[in-house]
Amino acid sequence: MRRIAPDRDQLLGIVAEVFREHGYEGASLTLIGEATGLGKGSLYHFFPGGKEEMARAVIAHIDGWFEDNVFVPLRDAVEPLAGIGQMLEATDSYFRSGRRVCLIGAFALDESRALFAGQIGSYFGRWVVHLARALERSGHPPGEASELAEEAVAAIQGALTLARAANDLDVFSRALRRQRMRLGLPAKI
Amino acid sequence: MRRIAPDRDQLLGIVAEVFREHGYEGASLTLIGEATGLGKGSLYHFFPGGKEEMARAVIAHIDGWFEDNVFVPLRDAVEPLAGIGQMLEATDSYFRSGRRVCLIGAFALDESRALFAGQIGSYFGRWVVHLARALERSGHPPGEASELAEEAVAAIQGALTLARAANDLDVFSRALRRQRMRLGLPAKI
DNA sequence: CCGACATTGTACCGATCGGTACAATGAGTC
DNA sequence: GACTCATTGTACCGATCGGTACAATGTCGG
């Protein structure tokens, strides 16, 4: 009987955090081992493909979370603005209001991109496309919807960088608030 | 007589490119040596502090370029909008219309931030502050100017990430065009 | 208890990491 | 030519890198 490690989700979450903090090159197997409490024996048992497979699994795991909590609401919400609101809530929650950085965005920047270009492009591409469609459904003409969507996703990525650089979480909150307004949502209480 | 290597600028530019492509951890001395044509003997002669000093010098070099080509125009242009226009031109030129990534932004994301937090914070902080002041001079109330400035710098960073992720330079051009409009500049010919 | 298989710890591999030591060379001044 | 000092190539250091091998465990169903 195929048995999935009962907490593979948790495991991938921990590994993700190591990649997030140190980047692909900087995340050594030693660091991953310390963070997860697993030795190399276990790590290579779960990820025979080694570090690259770990990273690939982590990206897929994050991708799945966004699919469920961001893309699906954008696509399926009867009221498109409600879906967009859920996207912003989920985004704020996922990035812990700016404490966390976007692993996939970080991978996009350096040469590790070469290994994961497909996954990276798909993640951001779907984010932009689903948001653009929701914006169209909420009344924006297609071209404008695309621009707004691209701008919103880029604004989130940039705000993560800037918040981290300035060591000021408010940078991220302000960026999300501006996007709320720009995308047609009422100011938050 | 103190003699500065005649092309220290060029040297720092090459080293910067290696850090940009591979990140701080990923930029090995071997890669740096190959890119510059210098052996370890030479590298440690010019940078006795090793890799960390190289990175610090590279950041300072970039910072200086932005000081001269971005911050000074923002601060000193008689017509603030002209200064903002120069900022956008210089930015487009520096990042090669999205082909290049922001090394300082990349360093802000992973743990190498711990080493360079001061330089990183200063670079982005000055960018935002100088832009905000130019916006005030061009007629925006202070609070609005700060928000616009922060948004513009974040939009540029985010667009670099997104352009790289999507492997589509137009993402960056579109972001710059939107910022032109948002900051009060006429649409470009 | 037994066999099957999932999981683990440990020892080890060659390669590469950042860094050091130092002698040899280059280029300029006197 | 002799002295100075900047520059370089090479050999080497211990540590760590990602990865492999494998025997020793744990954990099941039967």
Side-chain angles (χ1 to χ4, degrees):
Chain A
M1 180 204 287
R2 184 75 50 86
R3 202 163 70 80
I4 301 289
D7 38 354
R8 180 176 167 94
D9 271 13
Q10 193 188 338
L11 174 58
L12 284 177
I14 297 174
V15 178
E17 216 58 50
V18 182
F19 278 121
R20 227 188 297 273
E21 291 294 320
H22 299 87
Y24 182 69
E25 298 277 356
S28 69
L29 293 185
T30 303
L31 282 172
I32 296 173
E34 285 169 359
T36 58
L38 297 178
K40 290 190 179 184
S42 306
L43 287 174
Y44 274 84
H45 174 71
F46 293 121
F47 306 99
K51 192 172 164 178
E52 185 175 332
E53 183 181 339
M54 295 179 211
R56 230 173 267 282
V58 159
I59 297 176
H61 186 242
I62 296 171
D63 191 284
W65 193 94
F66 273 79
E67 181 68 34
D68 295 343
N69 296 88
V70 176
F71 305 158
V72 162
L74 281 177
R75 189 204 308 135
D76 294 346
V78 259
E79 179 52 58
L81 282 187
I84 295 173
Q86 280 189 53
M87 171 195 100
L88 291 171
E89 296 285 345
T91 300
D92 187 49
S93 148
Y94 184 83
F95 293 117
R96 305 247 168 90
S97 302
R99 279 175 207 88
R100 248 188 191 174
V101 121
C102 181
L103 183 153
I104 305 184
F107 279 12
L109 292 183
D110 61 34
E111 268 304 298
S112 54
R113 182 184 75 130
L115 287 172
F116 313 113
Q119 288 179 282
I120 294 171
S122 160
Y123 168 77
F124 284 113
R126 276 148 56 224
W127 195 346
V128 170
V129 164
H130 286 127
L131 177 53
R133 286 195 190 138
L135 288 167
E136 285 186 42
R137 289 198 291 127
S138 84
H140 292 86
E144 187 186 302
S146 286
E147 291 253 345
L148 273 174
E150 191 171 279
E151 181 173 24
V153 175
I156 289 167
Q157 290 296 312
L160 289 172
T161 302
L162 214 56
R164 187 102 170 158
N167 201 23
D168 176 8
L169 297 183
D170 290 342
V171 172
F172 187 68
S173 318
R174 284 195 290 268
L176 277 193
R177 176 155 28 85
R178 282 191 299 264
Q179 289 309 312
R180 268 189 79 80
M181 291 177 47
R182 188 152 291 140
L183 298 177
L185 288 160
K188 211 149 151 226
I189 33 117
Chain B
M1 182 203 286
R2 184 75 50 86
R3 201 162 71 80
I4 301 289
D7 39 352
R8 180 176 169 94
D9 270 15
Q10 193 188 340
L11 174 57
L12 284 176
I14 297 173
V15 177
E17 217 56 51
V18 182
F19 279 120
R20 227 187 297 273
E21 291 295 319
H22 298 87
Y24 182 68
E25 298 277 354
S28 70
L29 293 184
T30 303
L31 282 172
I32 296 173
E34 284 170 358
T36 58
L38 296 178
K40 290 189 179 186
S42 306
L43 286 174
Y44 274 82
H45 174 73
F46 293 121
F47 306 99
K51 192 172 164 178
E52 184 175 332
E53 183 180 341
M54 294 180 210
R56 229 172 269 282
V58 160
I59 296 176
H61 187 243
I62 296 171
D63 191 285
W65 192 93
F66 273 79
E67 181 67 35
D68 294 344
N69 297 87
V70 177
F71 307 157
V72 162
L74 281 176
R75 188 203 308 134
D76 295 346
V78 260
E79 179 53 56
L81 282 187
I84 294 172
Q86 281 189 51
M87 171 196 99
L88 292 171
E89 296 286 345
T91 300
D92 187 50
S93 148
Y94 184 82
F95 293 116
R96 305 247 167 89
S97 304
R99 278 175 207 87
R100 248 188 189 175
V101 120
C102 180
L103 183 152
I104 305 184
F107 278 13
L109 292 183
D110 61 35
E111 269 304 295
S112 56
R113 182 187 73 131
L115 287 172
F116 313 113
Q119 287 178 285
I120 295 170
S122 160
Y123 168 78
F124 284 113
R126 275 148 55 225
W127 195 345
V128 171
V129 163
H130 285 128
L131 177 53
R133 286 195 192 138
L135 287 166
E136 285 186 42
R137 290 199 290 126
S138 86
H140 293 87
E144 186 185 302
S146 287
E147 291 254 345
L148 273 175
E150 192 170 278
E151 183 174 23
V153 175
I156 289 167
Q157 290 297 312
L160 289 171
T161 302
L162 214 57
R164 188 100 170 157
N167 201 22
D168 176 9
L169 297 183
D170 290 342
V171 172
F172 186 69
S173 318
R174 282 194 291 267
L176 276 193
R177 176 155 28 85
R178 282 191 299 266
Q179 289 309 312
R180 268 188 79 82
M181 290 177 48
R182 188 150 290 140
L183 298 176
L185 288 161
K188 220 159 149 211
I189 31 119

